[in-house]
Amino acid sequence: MAIRDIVFYPNKILEQKCPPVDEVTDEVRQLVDDMVETMYDAPGIGLAAPQIGVKQRITVIDTSAGEEENNLHVFINPEIVEREGNIRWEEGCLSIPGVYENVDRCRRVVVRALGRDGEPFELEAHDLLAVCIQHEIDHLDGVLFLDHLSRLKRKILMKKYKKHLAKLKREAEANNRDAGE
Ligand code: NI
């Protein structure tokens, strides 16, 4: 397993629709394992393949961020087959660090996908898990949580995001300087 680099907005891959996985091979399982490790390392509660630069319909979710056992979900070629109700949740994204905003989603979804073993399954999810599934499947269609916001909110968020990126850059430069001494 390996921790992969996370792609940041506005990288173009985050705006592209991913094609489905043809077959769940050992290579796909390796990719899934790397995604899980990368998500836990971040730490985050969900990660989609395009966020590590891979255009495939794969996402991993653990709403406990690895704190609880048996909470990890792997979805290959996921598809929402039922949706119901409304919920507003404050979302963030590992590819758009430092900014958070309320997004309206469905409260309950049923998702159909293949697991890491290549077997099809269906899962009914509510609340946070349902929100995560919708956020991650959006990634596979090149849609970001920003795309659900009003133009004004998006503009405000982008200002914050630019500041946050500049801060990250300064911190990285300072770290490099320390390491060089
Ligand atoms: Ni995201």
Side-chain angles (χ1 to χ4, degrees):
M1 295 217 288
I3 294 167
R4 309 270 197 111
D5 286 337
I6 292 176
V7 165
F8 284 170
Y9 179 84
N11 190 303
K12 283 282 164 219
I13 196 167
L14 297 173
E15 292 170 21
Q16 293 166 6
K17 197 175 163 78
C18 301
V21 173
D22 290 333
E23 197 190 338
V24 182
T25 58
D26 284 346
E27 206 179 321
V28 169
R29 273 186 277 276
Q30 178 66 58
L31 174 64
V32 166
D33 294 346
D34 285 357
M35 286 173 62
V36 171
E37 201 177 345
T38 305
M39 171 177 73
Y40 286 154
D41 176 69
I45 59 173
L47 187 75
Q51 292 184 276
I52 55 163
V54 177
K55 263 175 80 170
Q56 289 207 295
R57 298 188 81 79
I58 305 172
T59 175
V60 296
I61 294 175
D62 182 344
T63 53
S64 81
E67 294 297 312
E68 289 164 30
E69 272 180 63
N70 304 320
N71 211 25
L72 174 67
H73 299 281
V74 174
F75 302 96
I76 299 172
N77 300 341
E79 206 184 323
I80 292 174
V81 292
E82 276 178 48
R83 49 177 85 226
E84 181 180 49
N86 297 299
I87 190 168
R88 179 168 289 180
W89 205 283
E90 187 178 66
E91 296 186 25
C93 182
L94 291 177
S95 292
I96 321 169
V99 295
Y100 304 88
E101 189 51 83
N102 287 327
V103 180
D104 292 315
R105 302 279 190 184
C106 296
R107 181 180 287 276
R108 172 187 168 272
V109 297
V110 176
V111 63
R112 193 177 287 162
L114 302 176
R116 190 183 175 283
D117 56 6
E119 293 297 319
F121 69 95
E122 257 189 30
L123 177 78
E124 180 178 334
H126 302 84
D127 303 318
L128 176 58
L129 182 56
V131 166
C132 270
I133 288 170
Q134 291 165 85
H135 177 116
E136 299 308 328
I137 292 181
D138 265 0
H139 271 299
L140 306 181
D141 291 321
V143 175
L144 299 170
F145 82 91
L146 302 175
D147 298 320
H148 292 279
L149 305 178
S150 69
R151 194 184 288 218
L152 179 64
K153 275 198 175 151
R154 205 177 150 138
K155 213 172 152 185
I156 295 166
L157 224 63
M158 277 302 103
K159 260 195 188 159
K160 261 194 209 164
Y161 178 55
K162 275 186 191 146
K163 271 193 194 155
H164 186 76
L165 279 190
K167 185 173 148 237
L168 290 181
K169 203 177 157 200
R170 279 198 305 276
E171 283 170 1
E173 280 165 3
N175 282 339
N176 284 343
R177 266 201 306 278
D178 291 346
E181 275 169 9

